Amino acid sequence: MFDIALLWEARGLILQGLWNTLWICFLGCLLALSLGLALAALRLANPRLFGYPVACYVEICRGTPLLILLFLLYYGGPSIGLRLDAEIAGVTGIGLYGAGYFAEIYRGGFKSIPKGQLEAARMLGISPWHTLTRVQIPQMARLIVPPGTNQLIILVKESALISIISVDDLTKNATTIVNQTFHVIEPYLAVALLYWLMIELVARGGYALEKRLADRQPRHVTQ
Amino acid sequence: MPMADTLSPPPTAKQKAIVEAHGISKQFGDLEVLTNIDFSLAPSEVVCVIGPSGSGKSTLLRCLAFLEPYDHGSVYINGKLLGYEDRSGKRVRTSEKRVDEVRAPVGMVFQHFHLWPHRTALENVTEALRLVNGLSRGDAEAEGMAMLEQVGLAERAGHFPESLSGGQKQRVAIARALAMRPRVMFFDEPTSALDPELVGEVLDVMKKLAADGMTMVIVTHEMGFAAKVADRVIFMDQGSVVESSPPATLFRHPKSERLQQFLNTWRERHID
Amino acid sequence: MFEILLNHYPVLLKGLTTTLVVSLSAIALGLVLGVLLAFGLTSQYHLVRWPCGLYRSFWRGTPILLQLLLVYYLLPEIGIEIAPISAAILALTLNTAAFQAEIFRSGISHIPAGQIEAARMAGISAWQTRRRIIMPQVFRLTLPPLTNEIITILKNSSLISVIAVTELMRVSEQIASRTFQPLETYLAAALLYLAVNLVLARISAYLERRMTGGLATE
């Protein structure tokens, strides 16, 4: 009933889809992570100027579907002279969309550090940059890794939407195989398994990072 | 009564003041928390600031350290204006870097310690030595151990803050500030967050510092400590300095009604 | 953008209505299934826990678009002919049930064990304990994540446009291809989604404020 041979014959399409999904997700997540940090840092540095715009950006990302953003970039872009390849529109869309969520995650991390710790650093003459890199980020990291991992997983799953703007990703190629072979279960389940593997990998990676960060600061040291 | 009259001259008035403030005021929104305060601190002088909660004593200390920018007046550290500069007759805020430079002789200890939880006791002490003074790891650790020794915590060097008691945390915080070789130490209610049985060990460290000639400003509720250690005690109420005298005078012969009332309330609570 | 809203509001509203009907039906059906699954996940029997866990893993661990396509193409394959809109509701329900189950499971685990023991010692049956003691508290505890899930489903309902359900997204595509104004059209659609989700978030915040009393404490 479950036809493995069919999958073997379609391996070219599956591998192509896997490759496209992988690199688009990777670049999209990278963009989301860095743009999110920039947004959170702007908001922190000058709340009066950037607080409201960044908050609006976050709300827009949370309140509108990624699909609309992808359509805006891919179909709406040309009317303002922005012609993007479907793949690049995919990376941009995932990046812009994820940035809103990551900005909020970073903000939670920044806010979790008591202000007094920063004052203590200032009183010792430690520069704002060193305060950020040596006091704030090391403490934040532990806090933001779990929700950050979660968000990366969501982005990997949402990346399936790029198939709708005609990127030959895993989902699009699975549908192509379905239409060619008239078999539904095999291609979709195989591809589902591949997504699940990717997500499992991200989850394991996040968990390992969390553990490493926790080990670096043992909870109790006895001598 | 004019503010200047309530300020007795520092005991070693001939020496140049380390910290000097003229007519500083501070508002939070509509609330005036400091009103026209003058302050002067001579080398090796120990000043305790007392007063009811909300009297502005912590805000005064934070303004002297420019953790809160003061609105009016001026604060000088070693004769240098802190936080502001004159630019063609107009007063403007200086860069944060300049604030750091002027403030460098000041060490500060906070009510809630504010140790960095991801660093060991020793690393808390050596962090600024390495980042600001550029010491090598080895030199910084030698220096840091000497500082921990001074507060009696050398054997806890490898412990993270969360496995230390409140008193130990505060002693590490003192060592952290001392490591930068400050000329003056500010203490903002250093024992208020501690369990009563842990207050003594912190006060002992501070007494030793005072005996060694450290210049100190201490915002505190510990009247006994103030009476024994301070050269001068300042009583604040509602954002103003009400009285300022050597402890013997201030505690035995309070002039103002507000101080009498404050001391009576304190005695009722502490001496049965 | 506003021109599009003005000129095409009857179709846009119809699309929005379909979006809301599909999403809210899926949320409601998913709630029932999710609660049952949460009981399964917290069951003392391994044989009940295990299949529930597998279900949760599959539906939370794969893209919802893939799930939608699988349901849509698979049903006719096994001899079930249903309208696209029913397939859409079914897929979204099966998906949200897994997410809601996890939300409720986490909520149930936050109810102090002592409360359940007290109920059992008072002779209240296991089922009644769930219904009258555990779940009322769980609903209050889980209101914020539940709101997020509702918003997620509303956003994800845009995907059912790919199986030709004429909801808001599909209607926008049609308007865009007719007017040749994709940018303005999709911005208008984005605005409608945003408005609905902001209203939902407001309602949830209001409910949360009203229900703060009588919460379980650790």
Side-chain angles (χ1 to χ4, degrees):
Chain A
M1 178 139 177
F2 194 89
D3 195 351
I4 299 271
L6 180 151
L7 291 177
W8 179 248
E9 255 161 52
R11 65 188 180 278
L13 274 175
I14 294 177
L15 285 178
Q16 185 212 22
L18 182 64
W19 168 244
N20 282 334
T21 291
L22 278 176
W23 75 261
I24 290 170
C25 275
F26 180 78
L27 290 184
C29 288
L30 207 63
L31 181 62
L33 281 166
S34 21
L35 186 60
L37 183 59
L39 288 173
L42 279 180
R43 190 175 188 171
L44 187 78
N46 194 340
R48 212 177 283 174
L49 192 60
F50 297 112
Y52 192 69
V54 173
C56 281
Y57 185 83
V58 169
E59 280 310 312
I60 289 171
C61 288
R62 281 178 164 176
T64 47
L66 172 59
L67 191 57
I68 294 238
L69 183 55
L70 291 173
F71 273 39
L72 275 171
L73 285 167
Y74 189 61
Y75 297 117
S79 50
I80 50 165
L82 185 74
R83 271 168 220 288
L84 299 174
D85 287 342
E87 287 86 357
I88 302 304
V91 169
T92 316
I94 292 171
L96 291 176
Y97 180 76
Y101 286 89
F102 280 119
E104 207 52 15
I105 292 173
Y106 290 122
R107 189 167 83 104
F110 278 123
K111 270 176 59 180
S112 70
I113 298 164
K115 213 175 126 229
Q117 280 190 30
L118 311 181
E119 287 182 349
R122 284 314 306 283
M123 283 308 292
L124 292 165
I126 296 175
S127 68
W129 172 250
H130 275 136
T131 307
L132 179 73
T133 55
R134 312 270 306 188
V135 178
Q136 287 171 284
I137 288 180
Q139 292 186 66
M140 266 170 69
R142 276 158 49 107
L143 272 166
I144 63 177
V145 164
T149 309
N150 213 12
Q151 191 55 44
L152 285 178
I153 288 174
I154 290 173
L155 288 182
V156 170
K157 287 194 290 174
E158 297 241 23
S159 81
L161 304 198
I162 58 177
S163 64
I164 304 177
I165 55 165
S166 79
V167 177
D168 293 329
D169 77 330
L170 267 178
T171 305
K172 170 98 179 302
N173 284 3
T175 307
T176 308
I177 301 170
V178 168
N179 290 335
Q180 283 173 358
T181 63
F182 303 107
H183 279 77
V184 176
I185 299 206
E186 291 87 347
Y188 280 144
L189 275 192
V191 162
L193 190 72
L194 287 175
Y195 275 110
W196 182 78
L197 274 175
M198 280 189 278
I199 285 163
E200 194 60 23
L201 232 79
V202 175
R204 294 267 160 107
Y207 184 70
L209 185 61
E210 197 185 329
K211 223 174 135 328
R212 242 194 82 190
L213 290 168
D215 285 349
R216 209 184 286 169
Q217 183 201 335
R219 293 196 69 74
H220 291 286
V221 180
T222 41
Q223 288 185 328
Chain B
M1 134 177 80
M3 225 39 72
D5 292 349
T6 66
L7 283 173
S8 58
T12 44
K14 286 209 182 90
Q15 281 171 282
K16 207 160 183 259
I18 293 185
V19 179
E20 225 178 329
H22 299 297
I24 56 173
S25 308
K26 172 74 185 169
Q27 274 193 325
F28 289 126
D30 288 338
L31 187 72
E32 181 146 58
V33 276
L34 292 179
T35 315
N36 194 27
I37 291 194
D38 294 327
F39 178 84
S40 169
L41 185 70
S44 291
E45 197 184 8
V46 175
V47 170
C48 284
V49 185
I50 61 169
S53 45
S55 58
K57 50 194 195 304
S58 278
T59 307
L60 171 62
L61 197 67
R62 290 171 63 82
C63 282
L64 293 178
F66 211 67
L67 283 174
E68 303 287 354
Y70 49 91
D71 300 332
H72 302 286
S74 38
V75 173
Y76 295 92
I77 310 274
N78 273 341
K80 286 180 230 156
L81 183 61
L82 176 65
Y84 297 98
E85 61 191 355
D86 271 326
R87 211 175 277 164
S88 55
K90 256 181 96 180
R91 195 163 93 150
V92 287
R93 282 275 283 274
T94 59
S95 67
E96 292 293 301
K97 229 179 140 197
R98 174 69 184 160
V99 172
D100 283 348
E101 277 168 30
V102 175
R103 191 168 55 185
V106 182
M108 181 135 181
V109 173
F110 300 86
Q111 178 178 359
H112 295 286
F113 336 124
H114 297 322
L115 293 181
W116 303 307
H118 60 305
R119 298 272 190 259
T120 62
L122 180 61
E123 286 166 348
N124 263 281
V125 180
T126 58
E127 190 78 2
L129 286 173
R130 297 183 62 191
L131 292 178
V132 181
N133 294 0
L135 262 59
S136 72
R137 191 194 179 96
D139 289 349
E141 281 181 358
E143 182 80 9
M145 284 308 290
M147 290 302 146
L148 286 177
E149 199 94 46
Q150 205 175 332
V151 296
L153 282 174
E155 81 282 7
R156 301 275 159 167
H159 285 237
F160 283 93
E162 72 176 359
S163 63
L164 299 175
S165 73
Q168 290 172 336
K169 279 184 206 166
Q170 195 58 299
R171 282 149 66 197
V172 172
I174 294 173
R176 176 172 72 175
L178 284 178
M180 300 303 284
R181 305 274 172 199
R183 289 201 56 203
V184 52
M185 289 277 282
F186 288 176
F187 292 84
D188 187 6
E189 305 202 23
T191 57
S192 296
L194 299 177
D195 290 334
E197 74 271 19
L198 301 176
V199 168
E201 59 186 76
V202 173
L203 293 183
D204 285 345
V205 168
M206 291 164 63
K207 270 180 211 160
K208 213 172 78 188
L209 272 180
D212 290 348
M214 176 61 78
T215 314
M216 310 204 284
V217 183
I218 305 157
V219 172
T220 187
H221 291 286
E222 296 291 331
M223 301 299 165
F225 174 83
K228 266 185 242 139
V229 179
D231 297 311
R232 186 155 55 97
V233 177
I234 292 176
F235 171 66
M236 283 185 71
D237 193 27
Q238 293 172 5
S240 305
V241 171
V242 181
E243 288 191 40
S244 168
S245 344
T249 323
L250 186 124
F251 286 123
R252 288 208 201 109
H253 311 290
K255 279 178 271 181
S256 63
E257 203 174 311
R258 280 192 276 181
L259 177 55
Q260 286 165 10
Q261 210 170 19
F262 176 74
L263 292 174
N264 284 339
T265 316
W266 187 82
R267 279 192 197 101
E268 274 164 31
R269 258 188 236 149
H270 291 82
I271 303 161
D272 294 304
Chain C
M1 180 172 91
F2 294 107
E3 201 184 323
I4 295 279
L5 278 176
L6 280 177
N7 293 344
H8 300 272
Y9 76 90
V11 255
L12 281 171
L13 274 187
K14 230 177 130 204
L16 184 62
T17 313
T18 309
T19 288
L20 287 172
V21 167
V22 169
S23 307
L24 297 180
S25 313
I27 288 291
L29 294 170
L31 184 94
V32 178
L33 191 55
V35 168
L36 290 176
L37 272 169
F39 290 157
L41 288 168
T42 52
S43 161
Q44 48 181 325
Y45 303 110
H46 186 70
L47 269 176
V48 179
R49 274 203 317 269
W50 189 77
C52 293
L54 192 67
Y55 178 93
R56 178 185 57 177
S57 291
F58 176 79
W59 292 94
R60 290 175 75 225
T62 53
I64 188 166
L65 178 60
L66 203 60
Q67 297 164 2
L68 181 71
L69 292 171
L70 192 59
V71 168
Y72 182 62
Y73 286 117
L74 191 62
L75 285 177
E77 196 89 336
I78 54 173
I80 302 170
E81 295 289 338
I82 58 172
I85 193 167
S86 312
I89 293 175
L90 179 63
L92 291 178
T93 300
L94 295 175
N95 174 277
T96 190
F99 282 91
Q100 292 192 42
E102 181 55 23
I103 291 170
F104 294 136
R105 185 206 57 76
S106 154
I108 290 170
S109 72
H110 279 87
I111 307 282
Q115 281 190 21
I116 296 160
E117 284 165 9
R120 299 313 304 277
M121 289 308 290
I124 301 171
S125 77
W127 188 251
Q128 274 181 320
T129 307
R130 285 191 187 116
R131 202 164 65 86
R132 306 197 51 108
I133 294 171
I134 300 179
M135 286 324 284
Q137 299 188 62
V138 166
F139 282 123
R140 291 182 198 181
L141 273 173
T142 56
L143 190 62
L146 216 51
T147 309
N148 280 339
E149 176 58 17
I150 295 175
I151 290 173
T152 302
I153 284 295
L154 255 161
K155 286 164 69 178
N156 280 336
S157 74
S158 62
L159 306 192
I160 64 177
S161 58
V162 301
I163 58 169
V165 178
T166 44
E167 42 65 83
L168 183 52
M169 190 73 207
R170 182 78 178 178
V171 165
S172 314
E173 283 172 50
Q174 289 165 348
I175 297 173
S177 63
R178 240 184 306 148
T179 59
F180 302 107
Q181 289 180 297
L183 193 70
E184 292 80 355
T185 312
Y186 293 130
L187 278 177
L191 203 66
L192 289 174
Y193 276 109
L194 191 60
V196 170
N197 285 328
L198 284 178
V199 168
L200 261 173
R202 279 289 154 83
I203 294 174
S204 162
Y206 171 76
L207 286 177
E208 206 186 334
R209 267 201 311 278
R210 287 209 37 186
M211 299 202 312
T212 43
L215 263 181
T217 44
E218 307 292 309

